Amino acid sequence: MPDIAKLEQLCQILQLSVDELLGTGTAADTIIRVLNKEKSSDAGNEPIAMNDIQEIAPLLPPDDMRQLIHDNLRQQEEHQIDFAALARLAPFLDESYLDELIQEIPVRSLKELASLAPFISDKSLDTLIRRADAASDMSGILALAPFLADDSLRWLVGRFAETGNPEIVGLYPFLPQEDLQEMAKHLIK
């Protein structure tokens, strides 16, 4: 995808309108608003729908995405992005902004968090794991295991060891060798 700043030149070269190039009126309108630096809060402007933002996300630089989402959230009563929308936008946001957004979203399921794990910082992921009800979501933990720091894995194994959950063995491949050896010593006793 070309950078959004190149769309006008591309349209001139191809002798097309932005509508024709993008194929949909709403995406073209959104692009034009972004190119003109129009804000949702400007007089007469409707907030840009999150679906429209997702559609044009591959064309926008991270700073423009941040501003667009910020303006959109400011227009909403909840000032919160929904988890599914955030997962679709994650590849187009910088890690620090994504970390900021995700801290405000309640984590209902660790499995849904797995879709964001490659894009958020280890620190944010660790915080979210500890905040969630990990004991009731072993499938979510297993989905997140490749992205977790050793400390978080140790903490989770400790929590699951207390409950006697047999699914804990699913975490073993992700644990450091010395932790596995220590666990084996306790099991042998």
Side-chain angles (χ1 to χ4, degrees):
M1 288 289 207
D3 185 284
I4 192 170
K6 303 281 186 202
L7 285 180
E8 286 185 78
Q9 289 175 315
L10 192 56
C11 287
Q12 289 173 353
I13 291 168
L14 296 173
Q15 297 178 348
L16 297 170
S17 69
V18 175
D19 289 341
E20 292 171 312
L21 181 65
L22 297 176
T24 63
T26 55
D29 291 343
T30 305
I31 293 285
I32 291 167
R33 284 177 68 178
V34 172
L35 284 172
N36 293 333
K37 303 287 186 204
E38 294 177 22
K39 293 184 178 180
S40 297
S41 58
D42 290 347
N45 280 339
E46 291 291 319
I48 296 173
M50 197 55 70
N51 287 342
D52 294 335
I53 294 173
Q54 292 167 15
E55 192 173 340
I56 66 166
L59 302 171
L60 296 175
D63 288 342
D64 287 348
M65 279 295 298
R66 182 183 201 125
Q67 187 62 51
L68 199 55
I69 291 170
H70 177 75
D71 291 346
N72 181 287
L73 292 176
R74 200 174 44 208
Q75 295 289 317
Q76 297 177 15
E77 285 182 28
E78 303 119 27
H79 299 288
Q80 193 175 66
I81 190 168
D82 102 351
F83 204 92
L86 188 57
R88 288 188 295 277
L89 291 171
F92 310 107
L93 298 172
D94 63 48
E95 187 180 88
S96 64
Y97 187 53
L98 187 57
D99 284 353
E100 183 182 316
L101 288 172
I102 200 165
Q103 294 304 323
E104 299 172 14
I105 299 175
V107 178
R108 296 181 307 268
S109 152
L110 292 177
K111 200 166 205 170
E112 75 180 356
L113 185 57
S115 63
L116 288 173
F119 305 104
I120 60 178
S121 70
D122 291 344
K123 183 178 179 183
S124 286
L125 187 57
D126 291 350
T127 301
L128 292 167
I129 289 288
R130 292 171 195 265
R131 203 170 67 193
D133 183 15
S136 66
D137 196 1
M138 188 56 167
S139 64
I141 294 296
L142 292 174
L144 287 170
F147 305 102
L148 295 175
D150 290 347
D151 289 342
S152 290
L153 280 168
R154 285 184 195 108
W155 180 79
L156 286 167
V157 167
R159 295 221 30 223
F160 281 106
E162 292 170 6
T163 65
N165 187 331
E167 294 179 273
I168 192 173
V169 297
L171 293 175
Y172 290 176
F174 304 102
L175 287 171
Q177 186 71 29
E178 58 272 5
D179 289 350
L180 286 173
Q181 289 172 346
E182 190 65 34
M183 288 175 69
K185 287 177 189 175
H186 287 293
L187 290 173
I188 293 172
K189 289 182 181 181

